[in-house]
């Protein structure tokens, strides 16, 4: 997808996510952060979706599963009223946390793809896997 439509889609998703979180939490600061995070997440996903493993093997599925477990455990505390926030505010914070995690994952994918494309290698890992 070309950059123009990709940016428009990213902005649209960001506005929808930000609007939804404003409706949930009623907090403009949370809404703006959700908007920005989801716009970046969408922009990265649309541009690099072919690099994301499809989960067709155990080697891929176990890491995808771990990502989901960590993400779920990281966002569940927000969705209750023990922290002094309402359930709706907690849901908005969970949406923000999910977006941050997913965007961070995609930033890592883009970093690795860029390094591989430019022929970069890590000198410390050059001998990784070889017996000493």
């Amino acid at each position: 997808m070309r950059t123009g439509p990709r940016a428009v889609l990213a902005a649209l998703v960001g506005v929808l996510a930000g609007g939804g979180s404003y409706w949930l939490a009623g907090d403009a600061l949370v809404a703006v952060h959700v908007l920005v995070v989801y716009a970046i997440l969408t922009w990265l996903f649309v541009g690099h979706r072919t690099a994301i493993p499809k989960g067709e093997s155990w080697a891929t599925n176990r890491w995808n599963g771990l990502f989901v477990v960590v993400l779920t455990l990281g966002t569940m505390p927000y969705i209750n009223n023990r922290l002094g926030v309402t359930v709706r505010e907690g849901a908005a914070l969970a949406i923000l946390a999910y977006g941050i995690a997913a965007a961070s994952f995609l930033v890592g994918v883009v970093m690795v793809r860029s390094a591989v494309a430019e022929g970069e290698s890590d000198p410390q890992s050059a001998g990784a896997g070889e017996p000493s």
Side-chain angles (χ1 to χ4, degrees):
M1 180 178 276
R2 293 187 344 256
T3 302
R6 182 174 155 197
V8 169
L9 179 62
L12 180 63
V13 169
V15 167
L16 289 173
S21 66
Y22 184 77
W23 175 77
L24 283 170
D27 188 307
L29 187 60
V30 171
V32 168
H33 282 92
V34 169
L35 184 152
V36 171
V37 166
Y38 275 81
I40 292 169
L41 170 62
T42 303
W43 187 80
L44 288 170
F45 179 76
V46 170
H48 301 280
R49 66 187 175 279
T50 58
I52 300 169
K54 303 292 186 261
E56 298 170 358
S57 69
W58 168 243
T60 302
N61 284 338
R62 66 181 171 178
W63 297 113
N64 287 341
L66 181 61
F67 178 72
V68 170
V69 167
V70 168
L71 186 59
T72 302
L73 291 174
T75 57
M76 289 306 288
Y78 297 125
I79 308 178
N80 63 49
N81 57 4
R82 291 185 194 166
L83 297 176
V85 296
T86 67
V87 171
R88 290 172 65 123
E89 291 168 338
L93 291 174
I95 290 168
L96 178 60
Y98 174 79
I100 291 168
S104 298
F105 168 77
L106 288 173
V107 166
V109 167
V110 172
M111 286 172 38
V112 170
R113 286 186 80 186
S114 297
V116 168
E118 294 186 17
E120 292 181 23
S121 66
D122 183 3
Q124 292 180 343
S125 66
E130 296 176 7
S132 358

